Amino acid sequence: MTNFVVKTLANAAALAVAIWLVAGITLDDGSSMGHRALTVILVALVFGLVNFIVKPVVKLFSLPLFILTLGLFTLVVNALMLLLTSWLAGKLDLSFHVEGFWTAVVGGLIISIVSWAVNMVLPDKD
């Protein structure tokens, strides 16, 4: 349970940094800071589910591309997972939006770096 909370908090922090740094990633909610924080946490949960369920399947089917590009295809997969999260957030009536593919590539790179850093700082007991 602790691992799930840590990963969700890391994803939420990484998404918040990406929203703050990248102009094409927006949280179009004009409400209070508490509601925006809840929205970021819900988007982090969706992002975590997408990474848990869809990402391994995509990685398996694109294994030759990972080998051919020496792992750089990970950037494309991360961008696609961020775009899928944006689409799902729209379907779930969450106000998270990613503009396009290249914005998603930059956002995915930022999210990966920040998530890694936050996971290094936060405890992981499980």
Side-chain angles (χ1 to χ4, degrees):
M1 183 67 178
T2 304
N3 192 22
F4 173 74
V5 173
V6 167
K7 287 191 182 289
T8 302
L9 288 175
N11 280 338
L15 283 166
V17 170
I19 290 167
W20 179 54
L21 289 178
V22 182
I25 301 175
T26 57
L27 191 62
D28 300 328
D29 193 3
S31 65
S32 68
M33 184 62 98
H35 191 268
R36 289 173 57 100
L38 180 63
T39 303
V40 169
I41 291 173
L42 291 175
V43 171
L45 286 171
V46 171
F47 188 64
L49 284 174
V50 165
N51 281 333
F52 181 72
I53 297 170
V54 178
K55 192 173 184 177
V57 174
V58 172
K59 279 184 154 182
L60 179 67
F61 286 128
S62 61
L63 186 62
L65 290 172
F66 279 101
I67 294 169
L68 184 65
T69 63
L70 301 175
L72 288 177
F73 193 69
T74 304
L75 294 173
V76 174
V77 171
N78 287 343
L80 293 175
M81 296 304 108
L82 191 57
L83 286 171
L84 180 59
T85 301
S86 175
W87 179 76
L88 287 172
K91 296 295 180 186
L92 295 172
D93 202 27
L94 297 171
S95 60
F96 177 75
H97 181 69
V98 179
E99 288 289 322
F101 177 74
W102 292 110
T103 302
V105 169
V106 173
L109 183 62
I110 290 171
I111 289 170
S112 296
I113 292 169
V114 173
S115 181
W116 170 80
V118 171
N119 276 319
M120 296 303 277
V121 172
L122 291 175
D124 189 12
K125 302 291 183 196
D126 290 341

